[in-house]
Amino acid sequence: MSGFTSALVSMLRKTLFFGALLLAPYVPLHAQSFPTDDPIIKRIWALGMDSTHVYELSQALFDSIGPRLQGGDELRAGNDWLLSKYKSWGIEAHNEQYGTWRGWRRGYSHIDLISPRVRSLEGQMVGYSPGTGKKDLTATTIILPRFADSTEFVKWLPTARGKFILVSAPQPTCRPREDWATNATPESRARMDSLRTAINAEWGGRNVRGTGYSLALGGGELGKRLEEGGVAGLITSRPKDGWGTIEVFETYNTRAPTVALSCEDYGLVFRLTENKQNPQVRMNLDADLLGERPVFNTIAEIKGTEKPNEYVMLSAHFDSWDGSSGATDNGTGTITMLEAMRILKQVYPHPKRTILVGHWSGEEEGEVGSKAFTEDHPEVLKGLQALFNQDNGTGRIVRMGGAGLPNAAVHIQQWLSKVPTVFQEQVKFNGPGFPAGGGSDDFSFGCNGLPAFGLGALNWDYGNYTWHTNRDTYDKIAFDDLKSNATLTAMLAYLASEDPTMITRERVDLAAEAARMAAQNPAATANGRFRAPTTWPACVKAPRTTNPRLK
Ligand SMILES: [Zn+2]
């Protein structure tokens, strides 16, 4: 966003603000009812809702620094940017190294179809891909055949030498399912559904087309085997069920580049190849593999006055995949916690308990940073009153549970009874519930039986459009929801810090809780979307150097 645009947006915001006052003089801008007279809650509201910093923080982070791939320079620059923000607000912060990870520099990706006609293809390298040394690499294409077994695959490999290999499923349509549901005849839709299922089954799984190797999250062991066999590069595509979105993950190749194309540009090259129309593709890719480099969590703290050895922790992973800007995964979780700290420092600078924030890295590699933190900080685990983690997109917080601790449920309900009515109506509290099962950083704490709560956000088409895609950018942020999340999180941190008693650690009876939740939500149980854990999740040790995920 240019300086001009940002000035315009800020002017518009002001105009809208005064406009609202003029047009609706009897309705305060944020008509709000507070259940108590607590002046801190009211000040948190005022700061969070009426003088928010979430726009400026988001613009700087997502537009200027961009995505934050584990081990890369942008992540490092982002860690330093967080420090500079905290410093400017008078908050103690540091970058804490917990290990090393492979580093990579993403330069440009130019991918063109040059024969039988010219078209610049929508695509880019997957993360950590080797480049072409900024030179043109032109080759013909070949489709990965179906093999009876890996011996047949190895025999075929010489045929693929020097070619770009198409290794992903050719989608019979790039229209989302919703579009088919709206427009197709029932017969045509059913035909398309079964065609898609068959094609994805043919190309999916861990034994891609019978080679005995998996593509894992982009290249995997099959990518490495093809590289060894002398291919020029791999062309992949992982489309989502949405217009124009693909997932962009990673490869472990070091010589043969791996690119991800849009659903239809992949389809185009595939059909040309299949129909023997002699496609030629030219790649010119700029990238550097940088080897193992130090990786950090950014930790900030507002020291407790009465109980400095008890902790309330804000938590959100800071790293991202790098197909776009990592705005909603997990930029918005990051901004929520950052802005909550800014507010807390102003209205609650001397908390009872120590307030910490963890901006984790390595979450996308398996919650590496937060796991390492739990291993390196037994004192925080011991004194943890509550941890609030947010990591499922830009939406407003609508769900909370007690992380499988019955006593947590009692405390959370008390806290929620003190937040403004709008938040009470918005957040559905699910009772004691279950510990986090993995997939975000609350798991690293929950597996230790700790009060680590996920702040569940409203969906905003997260799965189909922004989660790990090429479309996770600034424009997707729901700013009203984001500022309300920062405000609510600051309130929860304040209330957890002031709470006269600590949450105790008895665990829920998992079977009894499963029955209670099932009774509460029979529909989710019936459709199989709700699956209760039968044992408490076990902690996993944090890898302190690159832990390849090839399978
Ligand atoms: Zn995430």
Side-chain angles (χ1 to χ4, degrees), residues 130 280 306 500 510:
Q280 282 206 338
E306 275 179 40
L510 293 171

Side-chain angles (χ1 to χ4, degrees), residues 317 329-330 363-364 391 439-440 462 467-468:
H317 76 86
D329 187 11
N330 186 24
E363 191 274 346
E364 301 294 5
D391 179 23
S440 189
Y462 184 55
W467 181 78
H468 303 166

Side-chain angles (χ1 to χ4, degrees), residues 375-491:
E375 292 164 11
D376 298 345
H377 292 279
E379 79 287 1
V380 175
L381 303 199
K382 183 159 169 268
L384 191 69
Q385 163 72 326
L387 174 140
F388 301 101
N389 185 65
Q390 206 271 314
D391 179 23
N392 70 324
T394 185
R396 59 196 176 275
I397 295 160
V398 290
R399 277 183 316 278
M400 270 188 86
L405 308 179
N407 186 244
V410 178
H411 286 256
I412 291 173
Q413 273 169 313
Q414 284 169 6
W415 304 338
L416 288 175
S417 74
K418 294 174 186 162
V419 301
T421 328
V422 66
F423 291 144
Q424 292 186 21
E425 286 164 359
Q426 177 184 309
V427 180
K428 182 172 184 294
F429 179 67
N430 294 324
F434 300 102
S440 189
D441 299 291
D442 45 348
F443 170 77
S444 306
F445 294 82
C447 67
N448 287 292
L450 297 171
F453 310 118
L455 304 173
L458 197 74
N459 188 276
W460 282 97
D461 259 327
Y462 184 55
N464 287 333
Y465 281 96
T466 60
W467 181 78
H468 303 166
T469 72
N470 57 336
R471 296 279 185 269
D472 190 8
T473 41
Y474 178 91
D475 62 299
K476 308 304 185 305
I477 300 170
F479 278 104
D480 282 341
D481 287 10
L482 178 56
K483 77 181 179 186
S484 105
N485 286 356
T487 306
L488 173 60
T489 303
M491 288 178 184

